[in-house]
Amino acid sequence: MATQFQNADARAGLRRLVASEVSEALTRQPGLAKTVVANTAQIVAAVAAAVVALPPAQQKRLKNKSADVADMIAALARDDAPAGRLVIPDPTKVEPRKGAGFGELIDLEEGRRRLSDYATKAPLEEWAGPVAGSSALHERGIARSTLHDWQKRGQVVALLAGARKHAFPLEQFVDGRPVEGIADVLKIVGHPRRAWLWLVQQSPLLANKRPIDLLKQDRKDAVVEAARTIFEHP
């Protein structure tokens, strides 16, 4: 039952996000009335939320029959659709799949040892971008006491570099302050490294744009909604 509620919450979050993105895109089209924009955004969001809940095989069939789906939606709008539910027919042939199984079972310590053989240590700057310590930021005009207060309040991303020292990604600062929305993302994600890694990577929920770039464009609401969809709904 809990999983059903979680899935429903995830689809609701996706529906709100899609509606917001579609509405924003449509408002840039001249001549469209507000009611048209709002109605279209809600229709697209409802369809997207419903499709996400389908199994991958049914999603693939929908993709192959997208023209038919559009006709069905248009027919529903005209109130002349066939009676009953719209049913996606099951495939006539099912291709059996044979997996390799789990393989050898090993204990936790052996698993960690094998994982360490594959893992490669990389400098912080390779994935986090340019970073600076408190001394370097002080020279840039950010007082150590201010930086410490931001870190204590969870308003700035502080990445552990070494045993006790922290490094601060420079890309999160605009005009000497953390960009608005950093604190919201940190609160949702709960881990600075994971939060920053997500912020600097392209997100499919944000039209393959980087969340940190959208925060700098005053798109905090869209970024926060995407973070909730990803990290609050397993």
Side-chain angles (χ1 to χ4, degrees):
M1 182 65 69
T3 302
Q4 292 178 353
F5 285 125
Q6 290 170 355
N7 290 340
D9 289 342
R11 289 196 296 273
L14 175 64
R15 183 167 177 169
R16 291 193 299 270
L17 182 62
V18 171
S20 174
E21 290 291 332
V22 172
S23 179
E24 182 174 339
L26 289 176
T27 52
R28 294 194 292 266
Q29 302 297 322
L32 284 181
K34 290 184 178 180
T35 53
V36 173
V37 171
N39 291 339
T40 304
Q42 291 301 322
I43 292 171
V44 174
V47 172
V51 170
V52 167
L54 294 174
Q58 289 186 329
Q59 292 182 12
K60 185 176 181 180
R61 290 198 295 278
L62 271 179
K63 179 181 177 182
N64 294 336
K65 296 181 176 293
S66 58
D68 295 340
V69 174
D71 290 341
M72 291 178 184
I73 295 175
L76 281 172
R78 295 192 305 267
D79 292 328
D80 60 358
R85 298 177 57 189
L86 299 176
V87 180
I88 302 173
D90 291 328
T92 55
K93 292 180 63 177
V94 178
E95 180 182 352
R97 295 181 179 271
K98 296 181 180 179
F102 289 108
E104 176 189 5
L105 295 179
I106 57 176
D107 59 31
L108 181 60
E109 291 302 320
E110 176 63 13
R112 288 175 175 170
R113 187 191 67 78
R114 295 188 185 185
L115 183 61
S116 65
D117 293 338
Y118 291 99
T120 303
K121 291 185 178 180
L124 187 63
E125 291 82 355
E126 283 192 7
W127 64 270
V131 297
S134 57
S135 299
L137 289 175
H138 181 74
E139 294 176 358
R140 292 170 177 255
I142 301 177
R144 290 185 177 89
S145 58
T146 301
L147 187 64
H148 177 73
D149 186 59
W150 287 341
Q151 182 179 351
K152 183 179 179 181
R153 294 173 180 270
Q155 296 175 333
V156 65
V157 174
L159 304 175
L160 194 62
R164 299 178 61 183
K165 292 184 178 180
H166 286 88
F168 301 86
L170 296 179
E171 201 172 1
Q172 68 183 310
F173 297 103
V174 174
D175 297 330
R177 296 185 59 84
V179 66
E180 186 178 358
I182 292 286
D184 300 88
V185 173
L186 281 171
K187 185 177 181 180
I188 293 169
V189 179
H191 191 283
R193 283 180 178 263
R194 189 182 306 159
W196 187 249
L197 186 62
W198 180 74
L199 281 167
V200 296
Q201 289 186 331
Q202 293 178 333
S203 172
L205 289 181
L206 297 169
N208 287 328
K209 296 179 181 179
R210 300 193 315 157
I212 187 66
D213 294 333
L214 295 183
L215 288 181
K216 294 179 180 180
Q217 298 170 11
D218 297 326
R219 298 276 305 280
K220 185 185 79 169
D221 291 345
V223 172
V224 170
E225 188 64 41
R228 287 193 179 118
T229 300
I230 293 173
F231 295 101
E232 288 189 350
H233 304 291

